[in-house]
Amino acid sequence: MTTEPALEPAIRVQGIEKSFKDLHVLRGVDFDVKAGSIFALLGSNGAGKTTLVRILSTLLKADAGTATVYGFDVAAKPGEVRESISLTGQFAAVDEVLTGRENLVLVARLRHLKGPGAIADDLLARFSLTEAGNRRAGTYSGGMRRRLDIAMSLIGNPPVIFLDEPTTGLDPEGRIEVWQTVQQLAGQGTTVLLTTQYLDEAEQLADRIAILHKGTIIQNGTLTELRQLLPPAKVEYVEKQPSLEDVFLALIGDPGVTDPSQSDPGNPDTSAADDRANGTVPARKEA
């Protein structure tokens, strides 16, 4: 009986350390990233996320430890690493004077690829930018510019992409657009290492989440595994207050919103409210 060998991680980090004079930014970082997955590096400002991404993308040398990307050592084979990756920074690096299509054609030509126009048209379609392709990038919304930026980084089909806080400065709609783009990338087999300081972003996107704090990984696991670190929530009956979404939909007259004063026997919320009024369900405890 034979068994298939385990696939090598797309990214492997072992004991990475980095200091800037007396400031110790990374203090021995270890993790693996499975090929074709989304791995979120979660941490507050100054935790060392960007420093680590710069090391993995060969822009900065580590003081100690080893790291491999797509099987290539970042210190010994930086050229091969660069050919295997793409890096998207915290701010969209697009030429706002050029159109979206011209930005993509420019990058394809810089990479000496055949058929730059066809490559641009394909990426515009993949990222739902075809209608905006002939408009100047300076007229795009924040979410559109970020999607164009990510599309530019995919020219040449790199198997690994680093997204360093890709939704910084975006409005909620723009963030959702980028989230959908990241999920699409992973669905097509691209390995994504995502740095973020937004908890909901890591929760929505990541297959695995590593928490970087004061230069070390203090926890690494799936969302389910991380949730199990805390005791189960205590269930209590409380009065349900309307959310901002409830208020917003009620004010704009959404047909799906009903008058909260009307009781629905099939709705557990309104039934619970009736029960509270009748004294059969305990009301919320006052602080």
Side-chain angles (χ1 to χ4, degrees), residues 131-151:
E131 293 185 2
N134 291 321
R135 283 169 38 201
R136 287 178 50 249
T139 67
Y140 287 10
S141 68
M144 292 171 68
R145 278 198 300 270
R146 177 57 81 180
R147 278 155 50 204
L148 176 62
D149 189 31
I150 296 174

Side-chain angles (χ1 to χ4, degrees), residues 7-11 33-38 70 159-160 186 189-192 207:
L7 292 176
E8 183 178 359
I11 303 170
V33 180
K34 181 181 177 182
S37 68
I38 301 175
Y70 205 57
V160 178
T190 303
T191 302
V192 179
D207 298 303

Side-chain angles (χ1 to χ4, degrees), residues 26 33 44 48 65 77 103 119 199 214 226-227 234 248 281:
L26 300 175
V33 180
S44 58
K77 297 184 177 180
N103 270 279
I119 292 172
L199 302 177
K214 295 183 178 180
L226 296 179
R227 282 174 171 165
K234 183 179 180 181
F248 175 77
V281 176

Side-chain angles (χ1 to χ4, degrees), residues 141-143 167-177:
S141 68
T167 62
T168 296
L170 296 184
D171 60 23
E173 185 178 7
R175 293 183 70 204
I176 291 173
E177 290 177 357

